[in-house]
Structures are given as C-alpha cells and as structure tokens.
Amino acid sequence: MTSLSTKSIVFHKLIRNVNNYAKRMSSHFIYYPDKERPVDGETTKMNMMQAINNAMDITLKNDPTAVLFGEDVAFGGVFRCALGLQEKYGKDRVFNTPLCEQGIAGFGIGLATAGATAIAEIQFADYIFPAFDQIVNEAAKARYRSGGEYDSGALTVRAPCSAVGHGGLYHSQSPEAFFAHVPGLRVVVPRGPIAAKGLLLACIRERDPCVFLEPKILYRSAAEEVPVEDYTLPLGKAQTLRVGAAATLVGWGTQVHVLLEVADMARDKLGVTCDVIDLQSILPWDEETVCNSVKKTGRCLISHEAPLTSGFGAELAATVQEECFLHLEAPIARVTGWDAPFPHVFEPFYLPDKWRCYQALIQLINY
Amino acid sequence: MALKTGASFVKLNAFRRAARLLSTRTRPETAQNGGGKIAKFPGARAPYVSEMKFFNETSYEPIPIYRVMDNNGQIIDKNEEPNLDKATLINMYKTMVQLSHMDKILYESQRQGRISFYMTNYGEEGIHIGSASALSPKDLVFSQYREVGVFLYRGMTVTELVNQCYGNCEDPGKGRQMPVHYGSKHHNMVTISSPLGTQMPQAVGAAYAYKRVPNNDRCVICYFGDGAASEGDAHAAFNFAATLDCPVIMLCRNNGYAISTPTSEQYRGDGIASRGPALGLHTLRVDGTDTLAVHNAVKRARDFTVANNKPVLIEAMAYRVGHHSTSDDSSAYRSVEEIQKWTKDESPLQKFKLYLEHKGYWDAETEKAWSKEARDTVVRTMQEAEKKKKPNWKEMLEDVYYEMPPRLQKQMKQMEEHLKKYPEHYPLNQHESD
C-alpha cells in the first residue's frame, strides 16, 4: 500500500539508475561510418570484428602457408575475430598457443623465416610488452642484419588496443608510440571496418613485419557496408576525411571519430571548416599529406588517447614544425591522454574527448 | 504481494526441515574423483597420497650422460660406434682442426686491432662437428654464437666467415653486424643475432612451418648455451615445441659458464636436461667432448623428430676452454688449473684424433700437414679480406624495409649532402664508392 509520493521516489530513483547506467555504458564518441568504398562491387554490412575476420578468412583461403595463432584463438578469440576459422581451416592452421606473448612473437618470426605467412594475435595490446624484444630486436631487424638474406615480412602481429569504457590500466592502452620508434617495423591502426579489412590484408602481404593495433571499442560499435571482395589499402598513406581551411586535425583509430565530431562542432558553432586526417599508418607515416594540409591551414591539432609525453603526437609535432614552420599561425596543439596510467573510474576525465579537443581548437583559432 | 509469497516460502522450508530431522537417510554420497585412487583433474592425472613429501632436484637421479668413447678415444661399447666412412670421419676431424686454427688466428687478430671482436670455440668443436655431421644440409640451423664448426662443416669457407668478421664488401651481412654474427641462406644457417635465446621460439616456429609442408623431410636445430637457457624465451620454446608438436632439436651447449657466471649461479636444478621431461620433451644428455656421442644423439634425435613431428632436447656437456670473447679475461673468475685440466684431459680434438689413429685413418704426418694447411688457409684469407674495402656507406640505410620509405630516402640525401661538405672527416676511403 505504497503512497503516491513513495511511488514517485522509486520511479525517480529508477530513472536515475538507468541514466547513470547509460552514462557508464555510453561511449565518448559517435561512430562516423565511411560513405566511400575503396573498390566497387558487392558490399555487406560488417562490424570491425567481422571485417577483420573476413580479411583473415580471405588470407587463409588463398595462402596455403598462412596460419593464425595466439591465446584462445581456437574458439574464436576473446573478441571473436577468429570466429569459425578453426572449423573452416583446421587445427593445424588456426590454433591456440600456450599463454606466452614472447613465445607467440618468436614462434611467428620463426614461421615467417621458414616461409609461412604468420598472423599472431596478442590478446590485448597491454600484454604485448613481453613480446617487445622479439618484435623490436628480431622481427624489425632481421632483414637489415642479414643483408637481406632473411626477413620477418611474412609476420603480422595483431592486438586489440585503446579505450573500451571500462578497461582500466591493462585493457585500454594504446602502445603505438613504443613501436613507432623501431626502424624496420610497420605500425598500422584502422578507424573502422572498411579500413581494417584493407589495411590488414595489406599488412599480411607486406614484405615487412607489421604491428596491427585494433581499437577494441570499434569491434562491435563500428559497422559499415564493407566490400566483400579482396582489396588492400595502401600502407604509409594517410586519408583525408574532411577538407577545410581553418585547421588540420590529425588522429588515428577511435580518436578519428572524436575529431570528426569536433570538426562538425567547429562548423556549427564557430563557422569554420577543418581538414580531418586519419594517419592510418603510424610507421612509416605520411608526412606529405599532413604537412601539405598544415601548410594550407596554418594550424595543427593532434590527438591521441596515449599519454602526452613522447606519445606519437610528439613526433608529428616535431616534424610539422620543422617542415611547416613559416606557415604556422599557432603552436601545434596536442590533446592527449594525461601522463598517468589509464584509469578505471576516471576514464571520462582521462580521454581526450571532444570538449578538450574543441577547446584546444578554439585556442588554436584565436591564437 | 511480496509478503504473501514470502510467507508461503517460509512455511515450505520449515516443513522440509522437519521432514529431514525425522528421516534417517543421510545426504547422498558425492562421487569421488577417480574413485579415490588416481585423481583426474584437468591439469594433472596423478595418485592421491595422504603423506606429504617435498619433491626437489635431488628426488630424481640426474639424467645420465651418454658417451661412446673414453678419453683415449677407445670405443666403450662396440654397438654404439657409428657407421661413418673414412672420408666422412677425416672430413669431420679436419674441420675441427680448421676451426681451432681459425679461432687462434682470429683471436690474435683482434688483439692486433685488425678485427674489432671475436669469440673462440675451444672445447666445443666436438659438439659442432658431431651435430652437423648428423644433420641433412636442408635442415634449418638457428645458432647462438659459439657454433662456428657447424658453419664450417656445412660448407661455409673460412673466407666467407672472415669477410663477416671484417665487415668488408663481400660480407653477405653487408658489414652491419659485429664479427661472429654469421648467416648463410645458401647453407640454411639463419643469421645470428646478439640477444640470447631469441632464436629458440623462432626455431620452433620454423619447425612448425616445415611440418606443414607436404612430404617434409627436414627438421630444425637450435643451438643455445647454459646461460641462454635461463631466458624466458627458452621456456617458451620448450613449451611451444611440445604443445604444438614441432620437429625441432633443441641443443644446449652446456659449457659451464655464461661469461663469468658458473652454472652453480645459473640454475639449481639438474642442468637443462631436467627441464625437458618437465615440459613434455624427449630428452638426451650427452658428453659434448665426445664427437661420436654427439653424432649419435643428434642422429637419433633427427630421426625421431622427422618421423614423429615431436621435439627433442639434447644437453651436450662440455667446458668452455677459451674466454667468453676477446672482451673477457676468464682468469678473473676461474683458476688456470681448472682450464688446464679440461684442455688436456677432455679435449674433443684429442679424443677424436686418437679414435682416428686407432682406426689407422690418421697419423702424425697427416696431422702436421693438415695443421699447416689449415693455418695457411686462415692467414691467407685474412690477408685478402683485409685488403677488401668496406661496403658503400649507403648500405647503412638499405634493407631496413623491403622498399626504402620516403623519410629514409630523405635522410640518405641529407647524409650525401653532409659528406660532400665534410668528406675528410669520414673514412670514405675505407669504403666502396658509388
């Protein structure tokens, strides 16, 4: 026999709980699907996980030497990127390894040395560090040190990276900057399904070892009409997604979508347009596209989730100021994660969200 | 409504409790794991015991050391003498002698400032030649740095090895690495790298690739030292080899030292061999100073791995007679008497030579003649290698990627410009020019 007021209190508490829950589960970004296709032909709606699965399916189908391995890959992987592949291609081609990242990387290098195409999955980019020695000292340097007699080109190391809403220190990291410092490696970060499929196929076929970092929050939330056929996207090339005059916004992975929204905000609230560039390849990176853009706009904003100090934004900023100094109207802005380990409950304060980016853009324009 | 159902729920429970109290029937029997005798856990199947006992490195007998010859080169058990023909045996011994001469002269040349660095192989020649002679030339070899005898036996010439030490224009490695970092695609020897143990999981991966090739008749062999075996990569390699069924021979050269660190400070267990069965590997321990024993062991291992696609761990016991490298003076951490003992009594060359002499295949005259020839080969090779120029400085920026990226092309141009302005400050005359 609850009174009307009690019912109202209960109802409001319910609404608040739902709202808080929604806030916890909602992302810091809106996904902007690609409208353009890299190739003509039939497409199908795929999320990024499916697109990656598709790329690996195509590889396993056409390259009899190709194998896919890592922790829990046999049942499909913790993010289901390998779903159905062991069933389709057999246990000798898609298989679990013991829990050992240094072993996974070393094993992959050995496969590549012996002429097999190796796709090594590291379960989370946060756990890639035991494999760092193998990747940096061995895979990246095999061609150079052997005078070209041996190489690890047939190796691709894939790992889910970046913020997912609740990952904390060890399920949210974006370690691209560590690998960007390694001559001989390629480092690639897709922003969505179409990019992921094309870039991953390019990495697998590339004759250099590749580290392919997949922003995990995009696995499910990013869906596009992806071409069903086999296609690659060029490595070492950035993609300009928006053209404008006021500033150049540079990012990769999930952050591209934050920047696209910031560009929209700038257009709607400030009446200015921006170039938005998805770097796609962190190493080697497309200096020409970025510098040409900054020479045009005179203002540059770089944004990444990884911490500020020595993040990849530092390399971009150094190069841009070197190449575009006389064109700059303002100091180069970097909007990034703070210099702290990636926190759990503080994620909304940590991420370089659209408001921080927007504010930095205002300061750039008004400098 | 909640109160109503709560009441009925409570009433039912009370009834149940009363019923239970009244009955004499006890709780049903829970099934015993493995019938109470052998427990079947997903992680292990083993008997139950009610008495606790620690197991440690002394709970098991040390893994015994297989050998064929005694220190006088006499065969102990005739059945174990390998069936090697005269030409092969002589070639094996000659390679060991060639190696020891090369070591002597190249070590000296470092002291004279002619090459920057060198590592000798004294005491381990038997491991090199014993193992190499049991392999097929198609087997892929991953090595650490003290396996020069394997390179020589495979057919690499002293010239090719010395070129790498000088880093001259004929070094296939293009002068990019320190001396002794040999490699040869032609001879199926993967280029050596300095980080220790990294080659181990790579060898396992390569073996897996070979296994997948139809009608595969190749195995992979991976050499590593007692020190390198402490690296995480070693454990990873053993575990992956076993779980993924790879036709790989993991051959540990246990020579007693990792630079200055004796094995008593490297591990507490029964050497490296004891780790094999623990991780599910067929394991052999062999006398590394006994060339014939090493040969037999590797032959048996090879036959096993290729037939079963399973790994084998071999621990070859030996002694590192020389210093770790030209940057080391081992008298700082071990006694001269210790070195003398192992040099004199346990020399693989001596043992093998005596064996050949017993068989009538070798004598003092052939020894003298070959020694001289081996020495002359090295001296002549050194003189020629020294005259050759180093590769063009531009090789410094090639082969970083398959195709040189724009940034590196830019850096190449920057250096070109710099050299045009300051040529006298760079050793350009030592390098080949455009």
Side-chain angles (χ1 to χ4, degrees):
Chain A
M1 251 173 4
T2 44
S3 72
L4 208 64
S5 59
T6 327
K7 269 201 188 126
S8 164
I9 291 168
V10 169
F11 182 67
H12 279 119
K13 274 201 181 140
L14 186 68
I15 297 293
R16 193 170 65 219
N17 276 339
V18 169
N19 274 346
N20 286 342
Y21 177 81
K23 270 197 217 132
R24 184 161 64 82
M25 299 310 276
S26 74
S27 332
H28 64 286
F29 70 103
I30 298 170
Y31 181 72
Y32 285 76
D34 275 8
K35 298 279 167 46
E36 280 167 33
R37 315 261 162 277
V39 290
D40 293 322
E42 193 192 332
T43 64
T44 188
K45 186 129 189 247
M46 285 189 214
N47 61 29
M48 197 171 84
M49 170 267 282
Q50 290 166 324
I52 289 166
N53 184 283
N54 187 226
M56 298 197 290
D57 196 341
I58 289 171
T59 302
L60 289 159
K61 178 148 143 239
N62 297 319
D63 178 352
T65 73
V67 290
L68 164 62
F69 53 95
E71 293 152 23
D72 302 295
V73 152
F75 89 108
V78 292
F79 290 106
R80 329 301 271 136
C81 289
L83 196 59
L85 296 177
Q86 185 182 69
E87 220 172 349
K88 206 165 166 186
Y89 296 102
K91 290 194 169 138
D92 66 319
R93 297 188 71 190
V94 179
F95 52 92
N96 290 340
T97 62
L99 209 166
C100 178
E101 287 75 13
Q102 68 193 105
I104 290 168
F107 184 82
I109 292 166
L111 280 164
T113 304
T117 298
I119 307 170
E121 178 175 304
I122 300 289
Q123 198 156 86
F124 285 89
D126 315 58
Y127 309 138
I128 204 166
F129 302 106
F132 201 66
D133 184 32
Q134 286 283 355
I135 294 170
V136 169
N137 270 333
E138 299 287 317
K141 298 173 167 68
R143 185 186 293 284
Y144 186 76
R145 74 187 184 208
S146 68
E149 290 205 325
Y150 291 96
D151 66 82
S152 294
L155 172 67
T156 303
V157 179
R158 298 174 36 241
C161 69
S162 302
V164 70
H166 53 276
L169 283 76
Y170 303 110
H171 297 83
S172 316
Q173 289 179 49
S174 302
E176 67 274 355
F178 294 104
F179 295 100
H181 194 53
V182 186
L185 260 195
R186 287 189 178 270
V187 182
V188 177
V189 188
R191 68 169 179 281
I194 294 176
K197 178 174 169 177
L199 291 171
L200 181 55
L201 281 168
C203 283
I204 290 168
R205 290 163 192 172
E206 187 60 40
R207 297 172 80 145
D208 302 309
C210 300
V211 175
F212 190 78
L213 299 171
E214 307 165 353
K216 63 181 84 68
I217 204 173
L218 299 176
Y219 281 145
R220 294 286 169 91
S221 62
E224 279 165 350
E225 287 290 328
V226 181
V228 298
E229 66 179 73
D230 188 343
Y231 68 92
T232 58
L233 290 171
L235 298 179
K237 285 264 170 282
Q239 209 178 339
T240 305
L241 299 176
R242 291 280 177 79
V243 178
T248 302
L249 311 181
V250 187
W252 49 91
T254 315
Q255 200 63 14
V256 170
H257 302 282
V258 176
L259 293 177
L260 285 169
E261 198 177 346
V262 172
D264 282 352
M265 287 161 74
R267 181 196 61 212
D268 296 339
K269 298 187 204 219
L270 306 172
V272 298
T273 56
C274 299
D275 271 8
V276 178
I277 298 176
D278 176 4
L279 210 57
Q280 295 192 127
S281 283
I282 306 295
L283 181 72
W285 64 279
D286 189 351
E287 290 177 53
E288 202 185 337
T289 299
V290 175
C291 291
N292 283 346
S293 170
V294 178
K295 282 179 187 162
K296 177 183 74 172
T297 63
R299 288 163 223 272
C300 183
L301 187 151
I302 302 157
S303 190
H304 56 68
E305 287 181 20
L308 178 72
T309 303
S310 285
F312 194 64
E315 156 66 23
L316 291 168
T319 303
V320 168
Q321 66 86 29
E322 216 176 292
E323 300 295 321
C324 313
F325 185 71
L326 292 173
H327 300 262
L328 289 171
E329 297 292 337
I332 298 164
R334 290 181 290 161
V335 186
T336 69
W338 305 112
D339 280 335
F342 200 108
H344 181 225
V345 302
F346 308 109
E347 182 164 325
F349 300 92
Y350 183 87
L351 287 173
D353 62 18
K354 63 191 179 203
W355 300 110
R356 283 215 276 138
C357 292
Y358 179 65
Q359 180 56 29
L361 180 58
I362 290 174
Q363 283 172 333
L364 263 187
I365 290 169
N366 294 333
Y367 190 78
Chain B
M1 197 160 80
L3 272 164
K4 242 173 119 182
T5 46
S8 55
F9 181 64
V10 164
K11 270 205 214 135
L12 215 54
N13 252 2
F15 174 72
R16 278 211 198 94
R17 272 204 293 273
R20 210 180 289 139
L21 273 170
L22 290 170
S23 88
T24 51
R25 193 168 155 269
T26 52
R27 213 168 277 162
E29 280 271 322
T30 329
Q32 296 293 326
N33 187 338
K37 296 268 159 47
I38 310 270
K40 294 198 178 87
F41 284 97
R45 298 196 169 193
Y48 279 116
V49 291
S50 292
E51 186 203 331
M52 253 200 295
K53 196 178 93 154
F54 278 120
F55 282 83
N56 62 28
E57 72 277 12
T58 62
S59 304
Y60 308 94
E61 285 295 300
I63 294 174
I65 302 170
Y66 171 78
R67 68 168 178 168
V68 172
M69 296 186 282
D70 63 21
N71 284 356
N72 294 314
Q74 302 280 15
I75 303 289
I76 297 165
D77 178 348
K78 263 278 157 206
N79 295 321
E80 296 301 308
E81 185 181 2
N83 230 342
L84 293 165
D85 60 67
K86 181 176 175 186
T88 304
L89 286 167
I90 290 177
N91 181 38
M92 285 166 71
Y93 179 67
K94 279 168 115 174
T95 310
M96 288 164 79
V97 173
Q98 179 70 78
L99 173 58
S100 73
H101 279 283
M102 190 179 133
D103 274 353
K104 186 153 177 290
I105 293 168
L106 276 153
Y107 186 92
E108 287 308 310
S109 81
Q110 191 277 344
R111 287 290 181 253
Q112 295 161 16
R114 294 159 80 182
I115 58 173
S116 62
F117 177 80
Y118 191 70
M119 298 176 101
T120 57
N121 302 266
Y122 303 129
E124 300 182 53
E125 303 91 340
I127 297 178
H128 303 178
I129 272 70
S131 58
S133 56
L135 297 167
S136 149
K138 293 190 290 180
D139 295 335
L140 191 60
V141 175
F142 286 79
S143 34
Q144 182 167 306
Y145 51 54
R146 219 183 290 282
E147 296 88 10
V148 184
V150 181
F151 285 83
L152 282 172
Y153 193 85
R154 273 272 167 112
M156 265 187 99
T157 60
V158 176
T159 304
E160 287 171 286
L161 296 170
V162 169
N163 282 339
Q164 195 281 332
C165 290
Y166 274 99
N168 63 31
C169 58
E170 293 191 13
D171 168 24
K174 315 245 172 83
R176 295 175 187 141
Q177 290 211 88
M178 280 168 75
V180 313
H181 289 69
Y182 313 112
S184 171
K185 183 93 193 196
H186 175 67
H187 293 103
N188 294 313
M189 314 280 304
V190 181
T191 308
I192 289 170
S193 71
S194 306
L196 292 182
T198 49
Q199 75 276 21
M200 296 174 72
Q202 293 173 25
V204 176
Y208 192 92
Y210 278 8
K211 176 174 82 161
R212 288 208 62 244
V213 175
N215 303 316
N216 175 48
D217 60 351
R218 295 169 298 177
C219 75
V220 175
I221 189 164
C222 180
Y223 296 88
F224 58 100
D226 45 283
S230 292
E231 283 282 359
D233 274 344
H235 182 273
F238 297 156
N239 202 20
F240 276 55
T243 54
L244 300 174
D245 297 315
C246 300
V248 62
I249 301 171
M250 306 298 291
L251 200 158
C252 178
R253 295 178 293 94
N254 189 332
N255 63 17
Y257 287 91
I259 307 188
S260 70
T261 307
T263 50
S264 58
E265 289 171 18
Q266 195 65 247
Y267 54 74
R268 281 299 140 83
D270 173 26
I272 280 81
S274 60
R275 303 174 203 174
L279 287 163
L281 301 166
H282 273 55
T283 304
L284 285 170
R285 177 178 269 157
V286 68
D287 178 354
T289 64
D290 178 344
T291 308
L292 297 178
V294 175
H295 177 94
N296 281 356
V298 174
K299 181 146 196 322
R300 177 77 75 87
R302 189 186 186 282
D303 291 343
F304 178 82
T305 57
V306 174
N308 298 292
N309 283 323
K310 281 193 184 321
V312 173
L313 170 63
I314 299 177
E315 187 181 17
M317 311 307 297
Y319 186 83
R320 194 196 76 208
V321 167
H323 306 301
H324 165 71
S325 72
T326 47
S327 307
D328 177 48
D329 174 9
S330 59
S331 65
Y333 50 82
R334 55 183 186 175
S335 71
V336 174
E337 290 80 41
E338 181 188 301
I339 306 172
Q340 294 274 46
K341 165 180 175 277
W342 284 93
T343 313
K344 203 165 77 64
D345 299 332
E346 309 284 344
S347 160
L349 271 95
Q350 168 141 292
K351 247 189 267 214
F352 199 52
K353 184 175 77 166
L354 289 169
Y355 169 72
L356 290 183
E357 284 175 358
H358 294 320
K359 290 192 88 76
Y361 294 165
W362 199 257
D363 58 36
E365 245 181 70
T366 40
E367 174 76 18
K368 192 157 160 234
W370 177 247
S371 250
K372 181 172 185 312
E373 193 184 326
R375 191 188 160 275
D376 289 348
T377 302
V378 184
V379 170
R380 191 183 58 242
T381 304
M382 297 275 301
Q383 288 167 345
E384 283 163 12
E386 247 168 1
K387 291 196 206 114
K388 294 180 195 146
K389 292 205 169 185
K390 298 192 180 128
N392 190 311
W393 71 264
K394 289 181 180 172
E395 286 292 350
M396 172 178 68
L397 297 179
E398 299 281 355
D399 290 328
V400 180
Y401 291 90
Y402 177 70
E403 236 172 64
M404 191 184 286
R407 179 167 270 208
L408 216 45
Q409 289 173 24
K410 209 162 119 182
Q411 291 177 8
M412 179 92 96
K413 283 201 190 75
Q414 281 176 336
M415 192 54 182
E416 257 179 295
E417 293 303 314
H418 181 76
L419 286 173
K420 282 200 189 109
K421 289 202 171 73
Y422 298 92
E424 69 276 15
H425 299 290
Y426 294 85
L428 282 164
N429 59 347
Q430 291 177 26
H431 292 258
E432 287 199 312
S433 50
D434 287 334

